[in-house]
């Protein structure tokens, strides 16, 4: 079920009505049932995968929790008997022993679940690479590809459940005893397709609570959903035709058109992905459930680090908290860092381990997005630019010390434009899906001076008519306008809710009409999968 | 008081919303007033104020084949054609069902060329046939039976969802026909007076299987049953046009079917010479469809069958009907004269420019 | 505490660390700074900061940071 299908709209409507009509106790079980129905429709066999993840994580979590509890009880019992020094030594030893047992469960469960992900998502990529190697060495042998359907949202729900287990291991919260509650956390249907990758402690606060019907909350959620549909249907799905034409015909559209395609793709991806997240958060809000925000005006970022704090936030923090930090502060890395500082100098020693962790993290982020080399190149390019910008920091500092431009509106605007162009250039790996081609097309932007052709009507022949451009212009203006209003006066919907009823009603209705009339949906337009749902 | 105001506000808001959505829908739905006018065939039926003794059901082999006005003028027979572009058998069934909701004819004349299709064919033809139909169980059934894989029932329920992207292609006629419909047909007959002779003799390509499909037969059975239940005489017929090719194997199936069910079957293609139809003068598109000259000859023949063999009464003495049909005849004559004038002036018929199916 | 402030000031000479409680929230310390801090604390205080302790509450102010170091040293 696509978010933008009639079936999904009807599904959400039925779930929402039942949610508030049934006894409050039935609310979260209803959501679990709905989520499993949703997943069943996507593919009956997928249920096996998600259930395996839920049950294995639940059981490992219970064991980890039980080991922790037994250890705590032992420690309590030992308190009265021994001397202080003795007690401390015994305590440390017992703790280390308990921790080791817990770690065994953690590692086993991580291996199992990331193993599933690896098999279904990455085997064919591995086979492809092995075959390439075999061919390179002149071997006629070939491994055949596996035919496993990729379970919908597996990257997202695996990350969600594994964060639950790691946090539990780290002692952030006790184990969830009820397997069904963990199942709902894992499969909560608005989040299943493309996140956000919620943390258990954050989402469970409102997920399992009983919620009373509140007209304001439901209306506010509905408005957020409509806003998401507006972004997806009016902007993203409309510009898609143009993006596809430009990207699928690289020989024909070089130079200036690479720039246009890259910017169109930026807009399309932004509108599609943030629109989808708006729908997710809006549905959850309607049900009284608070889901973590995933974006914070990413295209207003002033540098790449800032961008990754604002784009796909829950994914970025996942990689930071579970890969980048643990790797950077692991004992061997700290030792390496110390050794390098002593032997190779303070500056280099400090950076070497951080950079190593950065590269690993971005490699992982790349391959998480898709099992092909272009995504790995995309991830590594991000890591490379982050490291480069760090290396250039002294230069920036000197620059800013001489010219006091930092913070001035014009300079901020320059930083924003620069970051958009930089991030869009890196995203070309995602556009062309072919590493050498991406480099070639990037090059033509500087070698093919066909910028005059942008105005000769070619852009009207890429599947976008004058009317399409008009709608896109209006849509973009609405996006920017809403952001300006938000920056000046705070949250738009809150203000709308506080204002006169007729304004609120008229605004909501205008949005509905705009979506229905100006949306690119229905026959004549392909129903489009969310760009992010294969991840 | 405050509560009352709040309820009042909600009601007004809801009514306004629905009104605007309805207006938007009316604005974007295709008006079919020029070019492909067939999209208006279904809806025009509901403007009828009098009942009919004969109902024609089928595709262009009825609505460009018979003239109810000729039947009236020559035999006093009241009739109406409920035909559409590529109207499929299940749609014909629903069209008959829909007709029987409001009137009970004595005879139903069904075109059998529709038997050649066993599955839904084209979304746009489905829409042209079904959009104009009034909502009833018949329409729901027709939609369900006709749907292509890319079609959704919701799109029929709310046509705005289907036609919204027409907003950028709106013309003056979308405003002109915002609340009304153009009047284009003569009791469901699509008139053409121009001539384009049939020059080649068509030989049918060999088919792997000449048997009509099970689905088509199923709906033919249901049409037979519907007529039987209501005591209506059913006449099957094949129009005297050479496209699409009518195979002897197909003809035999219809002959056998009619015999087995005790109903009449006329192959007017076989008796076209006896009727006096000459496809060098009586067709406007080289043998696909008859022009007015051919239609009037064939209608004269059918009228004789209807009044003599099926006892369809002459209603010309009924004052109400006579008054109603006087207007219809005037419209018919005016349309014919206008088309003739257009041909004299421009060499072709205006408005109906696009070739019909 | 003075030792810690020295480490922090070395990272960002232009920031007054004594009065601030928004080092993470305001983006003063980025992830690279945090790793440097952890490495410094490891070598200067001989205290290992595990990954799960890297949360905004522990790094938002020098005081919170110091409290965490003491707590970890105690264990």
């Amino acid at each position: 079920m696509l978010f933008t299908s009639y079936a999904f709209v009807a599904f959400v409507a039925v779930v929402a009505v039942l949610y508030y009509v049934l006894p409050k106790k039935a609310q979260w079980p209803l959501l679990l049932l709905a989520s499993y129905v949703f997943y069943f429709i996507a593919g009956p066999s997928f249920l096996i995968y998600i259930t395996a993840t839920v049950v294995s994580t639940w059981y490992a979590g219970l064991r980890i929790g039980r080991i922790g509890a037994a250890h705590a009880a032992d420690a309590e019992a030992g308190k009265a008997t021994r001397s202080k020094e003795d007690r401390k030594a015994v305590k440390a030893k017992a703790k280390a022993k308990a921790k080791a047992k817990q770690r065994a469960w953690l590692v086993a469960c991580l291996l199992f679940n990331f193993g599933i992900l690896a098999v279904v998502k990455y085997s064919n990529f591995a086979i492809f690479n092995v075959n390439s190697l075999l061919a390179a060495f002149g071997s006629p042998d070939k491994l055949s590809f596996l035919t496993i359907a990729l379970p919908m949202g597996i990257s997202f729900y695996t990350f969600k459940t594994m964060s639950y287990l790691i946090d539990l291991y780290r002692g952030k919260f006790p184990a969830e005893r009820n397997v069904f509650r963990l199942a709902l956390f894992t499969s909560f249907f608005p989040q299943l397709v493309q996140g956000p990758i919620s943390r258990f402690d954050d989402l469970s606060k409102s997920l399992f609570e009983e919620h009373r019907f509140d007209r304001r909350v439901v209306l506010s959620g509905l408005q957020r959903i409509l806003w998401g549909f507006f972004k997806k249907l009016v902007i993203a799905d409309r510009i898609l035709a143009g993006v596809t034409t430009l990207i699928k015909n690289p020989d024909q559209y070089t130079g200036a058109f690479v720039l246009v395609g890259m910017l169109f793709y930026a807009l399309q991806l932004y509108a599609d992905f943030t629109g989808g997240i708006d729908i997710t958060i809006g549905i959850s809000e309607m049900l009284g459930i608070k889901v973590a925000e995933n974006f914070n005006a990413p295209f207003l970022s002033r540098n790449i680090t800032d961008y990754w704090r604002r784009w796909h936030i829950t994914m970025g923090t996942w990689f930071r908290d579970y890969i980048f930090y643990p790797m950077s502060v692991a004992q061997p890395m700290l030792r390496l860092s110390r050794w390098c500082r002593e032997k190779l100098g303070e500056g280099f020693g400090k950076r070497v381990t951080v950079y190593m962790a950065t590269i690993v993290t971005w490699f992982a982020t790349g391959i998480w997005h898709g099992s092909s080399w272009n995504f790995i190149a995309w991830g590594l390019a991000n890591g490379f630019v982050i490291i480069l910008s760090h290396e250039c920091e002294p230069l920036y500092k000197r620059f800013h010390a001489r010219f006091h431009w930092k913070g001035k509106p014009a300079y901020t605007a320059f930083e924003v434009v620069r970051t958009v162009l930089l991030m869009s250039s890196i995203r070309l790996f995602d556009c062309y899906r072919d590493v050498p081609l991406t480099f070639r097309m990037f090059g033509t932007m500087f070698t093919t001076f066909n910028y005059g052709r942008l105005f000769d009507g070619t852009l009207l022949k890429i599947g976008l008519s004058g009317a399409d451009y008009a709608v896109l212009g209006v849509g973009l203006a609405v996006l920017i306008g809403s952001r300006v209003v938000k920056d000046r006066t705070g949250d738009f919907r809150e203000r709308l809710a506080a204002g006169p009823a007729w304004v609120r009603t008229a605004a909501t209705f205008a949005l509905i009409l705009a979506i229905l009339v100006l949306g690119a949906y229905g026959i004549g337009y392909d129903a489009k999968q969310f760009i992010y749902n294969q991840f | 008081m405050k509560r009352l105001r709040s309820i009042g506000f909600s009601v007004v808001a809801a009514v306004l919303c629905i009104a605007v959505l309805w207006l938007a829908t009316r604005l974007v739905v295709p008006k079919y007033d020029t070019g492909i006018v067939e999209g208006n065939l279904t809806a025009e039926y509901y403007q009828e104020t009098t009942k009919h003794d004969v109902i024609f059901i089928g595709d262009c082999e009825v609505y460009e084949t018979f003239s109810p006005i000729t039947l009236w003028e020559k035999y006093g027979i009241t009739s109406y054609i409920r035909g559409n572009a590529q109207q499929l058998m299940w749609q014909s069934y629903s069209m008959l069902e829909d007709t029987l909701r409001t009137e009970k004819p004595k005879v139903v004349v069904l075109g059998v060329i529709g038997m050649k299709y066993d599955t839904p064919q084209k979304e746009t033809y489905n829409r042209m046939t079904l959009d104009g139909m009034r909502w009833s169980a018949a329409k729901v059934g027709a939609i369900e039976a006709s749907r292509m894989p890319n079609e959704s029932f919701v799109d029929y329920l709310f046509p705005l969802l289907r036609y919204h992207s027409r907003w950028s292609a709106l013309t003056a006629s979308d405003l002109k026909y915002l609340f009304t419909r153009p009047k284009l047909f003569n009791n469901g007959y699509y008139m053409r007076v121009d001539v384009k002779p049939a020059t080649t003799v068509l030989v049918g390509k060999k088919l792997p299987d000449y048997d009509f499909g099970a689905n088509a037969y199923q709906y033919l059975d249901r049409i037979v049953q519907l007529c039987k239940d209501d005591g209506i005489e059913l006449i099957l017929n094949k129009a005297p046009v050479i496209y699409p090719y009518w195979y002897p194997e197909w003809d035999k199936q219809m002959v056998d079917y009619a015999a087995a069910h005790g109903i009449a079957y006329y192959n007017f293609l076989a008796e076209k010479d006896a009727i006096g139809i000459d496809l060098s003068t009586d067709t406007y598109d080289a043998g696909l469809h008859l022009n007015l000259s051919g239609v009037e000859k064939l209608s004269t023949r059918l009228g004789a069958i209807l009044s003599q063999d099926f006892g369809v009464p002459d209603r010309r003495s009924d004052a109400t009907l006579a008054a109603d049909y006087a207007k219809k005849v005037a419209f018919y004559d005016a349309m014919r004269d206008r088309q003739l004038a257009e041909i004299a002036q421009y060499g072709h018929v205006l408005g109906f420019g696009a070739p019909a199916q | 505490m003075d030792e810690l402030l020295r480490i922090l000031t070395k990272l960002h000479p232009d920031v007054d660390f004594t009065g601030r409680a928004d080092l993470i929230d305001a983006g003063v310390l980025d992830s690279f700074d945090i790793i440097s801090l952890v490495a410094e604390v490891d070598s200067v205080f001989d205290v290992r900061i595990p990954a799960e302790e890297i949360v905004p509450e522990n790094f938002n102010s020098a005081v919170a940071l110091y409290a965490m170091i003491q707590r970890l040293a105690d264990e």
Side-chain angles (χ1 to χ4, degrees), chain B residues 178-317:
Chain B
L178 193 57
F179 302 110
T180 56
R181 288 178 174 278
K183 168 112 177 79
L184 298 160
F185 308 108
N186 300 279
N187 279 27
Y189 165 56
Y190 173 101
M191 181 193 290
R192 290 290 290 259
V193 304
D194 37 343
V195 182
K196 185 184 175 195
T199 49
T200 51
V201 178
L202 184 70
V203 181
K205 268 187 287 181
K206 258 186 100 71
L207 296 184
D209 182 9
Y210 291 93
D211 286 341
F212 291 134
N215 197 37
Y217 265 122
Q218 183 211 329
Y219 280 97
L220 180 58
D221 289 344
R222 290 172 72 172
I223 291 170
V224 170
Q225 193 58 45
L226 208 54
C227 290
K228 200 179 270 174
D229 291 346
D230 277 16
I232 300 166
E233 297 273 11
L234 181 62
I235 299 175
L236 305 180
N237 85 94
K238 165 72 187 86
V241 288
I242 52 175
Y243 291 94
Y245 189 75
W246 183 247
Y247 292 90
E249 292 86 347
W250 288 356
D251 193 59
K252 184 170 183 309
Q253 285 177 66
M254 287 299 99
V255 169
D256 294 347
Y257 187 90
H261 291 80
I263 46 183
Y265 168 56
Y266 294 92
N267 182 349
F268 292 124
L269 179 59
E271 41 170 302
K272 107 175 131 50
D273 296 337
I275 300 167
I277 290 173
D278 175 2
L279 287 182
S280 63
T281 55
D282 291 337
T283 167
Y284 74 88
D285 52 6
L288 256 91
H289 304 105
L290 299 180
N291 59 20
L292 185 63
S293 154
V295 166
E296 286 186 342
K297 288 178 194 168
L298 181 63
S299 302
T300 307
R301 164 76 178 117
L302 181 74
I305 295 170
L306 289 172
S307 55
Q308 284 156 30
D309 301 351
F310 291 86
V312 178
D314 184 340
R315 305 262 189 203
R316 276 175 288 198
S317 52

Side-chain angles (χ1 to χ4, degrees), chain C residues 30-66:
Chain C
D30 65 17
S31 51
F32 282 25
D33 296 327
I34 288 169
I35 301 304
S36 303
L37 255 172
V38 173
E40 289 280 342
V41 168
D42 179 60
S43 55
V44 175
F45 295 91
D46 195 24
V47 165
R48 206 192 134 204
I49 301 173
E52 60 260 38
E53 296 287 354
I54 307 178
V55 288
E57 300 89 78
N58 287 339
F59 282 78
N60 253 339
S61 68
V63 177
L65 203 49
Y66 193 64

Side-chain angles (χ1 to χ4, degrees), chain A residues 88 95 99 170 305 309 320-321 324-326 328-331 334 337-338 341 346 350 353-355 358 386-387 390 397, chain C residues 10-14 27 29-36 38-40 42-43 48-52 54 56 73-75:
Chain A
K88 204 166 177 181
K95 191 181 172 185
K99 214 62 207 173
R170 289 174 172 180
T305 320
R309 270 199 296 264
R320 190 195 66 200
D321 290 351
F324 181 74
Y325 283 154
S328 308
V329 303
Q331 278 305 311
L334 289 179
S337 165
R338 205 174 307 164
R341 261 182 288 174
E346 179 77 5
K350 245 168 97 174
T353 53
V354 181
Y355 288 176
T358 303
I386 288 171
I387 291 172
H390 235 259
K397 280 204 173 130
Chain C
K10 210 169 75 184
L11 278 174
H12 289 281
D14 47 337
L29 296 180
D30 65 17
S31 51
F32 282 25
D33 296 327
I34 288 169
I35 301 304
S36 303
V38 173
E40 289 280 342
D42 179 60
S43 55
R48 206 192 134 204
I49 301 173
E52 60 260 38
I54 307 178
D74 213 30
E75 275 184 11

